[in-house]
Amino acid sequence: MSVNSPLNISHWLLAALSTKMFRYYEDRIPQDASVLVVSNHRSFMDAPILMAALSSPIRFACHHYMGQVPIMREIVAGLGCFPLEANQQRQQRFFKQAQLLLKSKQLVGVFPEGTEPMVKFTQPNSVGEFQRGFAHLALRANVKDLAILPVAIASIEEINTSAVPLKLLNLFDPSEPLFDQPGWHPLVIYNRVAVLIGRPYWITSQHQQLYQGKQAKTVVAELTEHCQGEITNLLREGSY
């Protein structure tokens, strides 16, 4: 593994920020399988925290603006993240790229809460509504031995400060309505953080068959609710 690999960069960042990480239920991490990692999201540190916790590089989809902003763009590239497109083809291209990565048994990471918890000050261990795109990806991908792995990042002690005005980010991505408002982009730095690994949800041929038929909405909702429920419960556990 090279010195500048995403995993080494993740360990370096945690060390540089003096972040203490505690990992729980690592025995739940699937071995020799394609894994889609699903997690809550409040900090720029979440991607490196998850890589360090799972001891593996993870290819994260990130917001389009992160690939445009100087310094952030270089960090994103170093961590192996792939920014989403700004145009209407965003989801289709993401599905295609993620499917190729999963087929090659690279870990792919998704933050289903979207951008909102990153640009608004939120309470530690709170979790927003999950968007269902990751469930559609998992059920549509023609990948054998695919596990969806919910992981909770539970902040124990953190520093909250401000990074840049949201209006400034509007210059890099005018299509994002969240940037067209007053206020500042929060910056959350974890001093101590617990990473709790949830029960994996394995995608079976039966799931895929249901997704192709009239039960599609049901199976998508079930997968989404499993991940959101696991993460919510683990966050509650991690806050004690």
Side-chain angles (χ1 to χ4, degrees):
M1 188 177 291
S2 72
V3 174
N4 296 321
S5 74
L7 189 55
N8 282 334
I9 292 171
S10 298
H11 285 301
W12 173 85
L13 182 64
L14 267 60
L17 294 171
S18 301
T19 300
K20 291 184 179 178
M21 182 185 72
F22 308 93
R23 184 174 70 160
Y24 300 93
Y25 308 122
E26 58 263 39
D27 57 308
R28 293 173 174 172
I29 301 170
Q31 302 300 316
D32 195 32
S34 297
V35 181
L36 180 63
V37 180
V38 175
S39 180
N40 58 309
H41 190 34
R42 294 178 60 245
S43 170
F44 73 99
M45 294 181 67
D46 291 337
I49 284 279
L50 289 167
M51 290 191 214
L54 298 185
S55 302
S56 176
I58 305 172
R59 301 298 302 277
F60 281 95
C62 64
H63 196 284
H64 172 72
Y65 81 94
M66 291 185 175
Q68 309 297 313
V69 180
I71 301 176
M72 190 178 289
R73 177 178 58 214
E74 283 70 31
I75 294 171
V76 162
L79 289 170
C81 303
F82 56 100
L84 297 170
E85 302 289 337
N87 57 33
Q88 297 299 315
Q89 302 298 315
R90 175 183 295 187
Q91 190 174 61
Q92 187 179 348
R93 290 186 184 180
F94 162 63
F95 277 17
K96 188 174 181 179
Q97 191 164 2
Q99 188 173 4
L100 289 172
L101 292 168
L102 289 169
K103 279 187 174 179
S104 64
K105 292 198 173 175
Q106 294 187 59
L107 276 70
V108 173
V110 177
F111 297 118
E113 292 168 279
T115 309
E116 195 158 343
M118 281 291 290
V119 300
K120 292 185 176 181
F121 285 99
T122 56
Q123 291 300 313
N125 308 329
S126 63
V127 64
E129 193 67 28
F130 276 19
Q131 299 170 15
R132 297 184 174 186
F134 78 94
H136 286 284
L137 165 64
L139 293 159
R140 195 179 298 179
N142 184 21
V143 178
K144 289 183 179 180
D145 301 320
L146 175 58
I148 316 304
L149 187 65
V151 182
I153 301 172
S155 176
I156 301 169
E157 183 185 323
E158 67 182 36
I159 297 169
N160 275 280
T161 183
S162 299
V164 293
L166 289 170
K167 291 277 190 183
L168 182 63
L169 296 176
N170 196 35
L171 298 173
F172 299 99
D173 187 2
S175 68
E176 177 52 72
L178 288 169
F179 298 155
D180 191 23
Q181 59 181 333
W184 288 69
H185 191 302
L187 188 67
V188 177
I189 299 172
Y190 302 126
N191 289 336
R192 295 192 301 142
V193 62
V195 180
L196 302 96
I197 295 151
R199 294 168 298 150
Y201 186 109
W202 291 89
I203 301 298
T204 65
S205 56
Q206 185 180 6
H207 288 125
Q208 292 168 333
Q209 286 169 7
L210 289 171
Y211 182 70
Q212 298 300 327
K214 293 180 180 178
Q215 299 297 313
K217 283 187 178 179
T218 304
V219 72
V220 166
E222 182 185 287
L223 172 49
T224 307
E225 287 162 14
H226 169 84
C227 291
Q228 186 164 349
E230 279 285 291
I231 289 170
T232 301
N233 291 335
L234 290 167
L235 283 173
R236 199 175 295 128
E237 182 183 333
S239 62
Y240 293 122

